[in-house]
Structure formats: C-alpha cells, structure tokens
Amino acid sequence: VLVNRDVDDHSIRSVINDDAEGIRLAVRHLAGLGHRRIACIACETGNISTDERVMGYRQALLDAGIEFDSALFPRAEDFLPQHGYRAMERMTQLSSRPTAVFGVVDELAVGAIQCAREVGLRVPEDLSVIGMNDLEMAQICDPPLTTVRIFREEMGRVAVKRLVELIQNPQQRARRIDVLCELVKRASCAPVS
C-alpha cells in the first residue's frame, strides 16, 4: 500500500491526499474574495500529485467562471522558495498582473510572497497568496500563509487499515483511497481591492 504516492499501475493500492479537491478549496476561497486573476505556480515534473493539483486548478477556475490564462501559469524549476520567487517575478512584469497566487506547495507560495514584497506589493492588500501542505514555514512566514492542510497521519492510519484488510483478504481489488484536506485561513488572503 503506497502512502501519499500514486502510480498508474491499477494493481497497486494507494492512499493519497485529495489534491484536486484541495486546489478547488483554495481557488473557491480566492474567487469568493473577488479575485479573477488567480495564478498557479507549479513545476513541470510529471509527478501525479502535482499533475492532479494543476488539473484541480484548471477545473476550479472553470467552476468559478474564470478563463484559464497561460500567462498566470508560470512553471517553476523546482519546489523551492527561490523558484517560487522567480515565477512570481515573471508575473509582476505582466501588464495585467495576478491579484492572487496559488503555489502547489508552501515553499513556492513563500517565494512568491518574498518576491511580491521586494517589488513593492503588499500581501494580502495587493496580492493574496495560498500554498498547500501546511508546513511549519506557512505558520511563521510574514504574513502567515493561508494553506491547504494535508492530513499525513490520517493517510498513514488509512494505509495501515487497508494493509491489514489485504492481509486478511488478499483477493480484494486494488483501489486508490483519497483523504480529504482542509483550507487553513491565515493572514495572506484578503478581498480583491
């Protein structure tokens, strides 16, 4: 039983975070605050979790009646703050910059906040920012980052339960179990001005 990892092999059992729903929570929150230019900083990895987060972003935009704009979808080289910084830097040069940014991981969102400040944007007054994972850095960055919390311990509990079930009945069909996540509202988001 894989935990927090999924593969395309349908004979493998996995327990994973519901990434697409986590993104929908974030984009719904931003759209509810009046944001229509919502960017997403992601990496070009082929990682199933990241791919699901990107699909969730595009679906959430569609659900909110917001057209996808490729200029608001910069790709970062890696999942580090400096890469979020560089992606945000490219977006600050747009004639119509985003009013909100979603980083597919907290590190990218923190980098976006750092860049925004350095170019004179105030977070959250000029730019709302949301991350995903609820790492410790989300709580201590300035301002504290709104993020989508992933329940890793719950994924572990579900995986152990699933493993015991498989030991007792090895003929059970393989399936993926998605664990829900939640939006943790902190100080990095505000209504669009």
Side-chain angles (χ1 to χ4, degrees), residues 7 10 16 34 37 39-40 42 58 60-61 85 92 97 103 107 112 115 122 127 135 149 165 168-169 185 189-190 193:
V7 292
H10 296 291
I16 192 164
R37 296 206 36 86
C40 177
R58 292 189 71 151
L61 289 178
Y85 182 102
T92 62
R97 67 170 178 75
E107 295 92 337
C115 176
R122 298 167 300 153
L127 180 73
L135 301 177
R149 179 176 291 152
E165 290 170 356
Q168 293 171 347
N169 182 3
K185 297 177 186 176
C189 292
S193 52

Side-chain angles (χ1 to χ4, degrees), residues 100 167 176:
I167 290 168
R176 173 178 147 166

Side-chain angles (χ1 to χ4, degrees), residues 43 45-56 75:
C43 293
T45 65
N47 175 303
I48 290 175
S49 179
T50 301
D51 292 346
E52 287 190 5
R53 291 177 186 192
V54 169
M55 286 187 305
R75 293 305 189 129

Side-chain angles (χ1 to χ4, degrees), residues 11-25:
S11 67
I12 306 276
R13 286 108 176 136
S14 61
V15 177
I16 192 164
N17 178 63
D18 191 345
D19 289 310
E21 180 58 23
I23 302 293
R24 285 191 289 271
L25 289 171

Side-chain angles (χ1 to χ4, degrees), residues 9 28 38 85 93 102 109 112 131 140 161 167 171 179 182:
D9 184 343
R28 264 188 241 131
I38 303 170
Y85 182 102
Q93 297 169 7
F102 175 79
I140 62 174
K161 180 180 177 202
I167 290 168
Q171 303 308 319
V179 175
E182 74 175 331

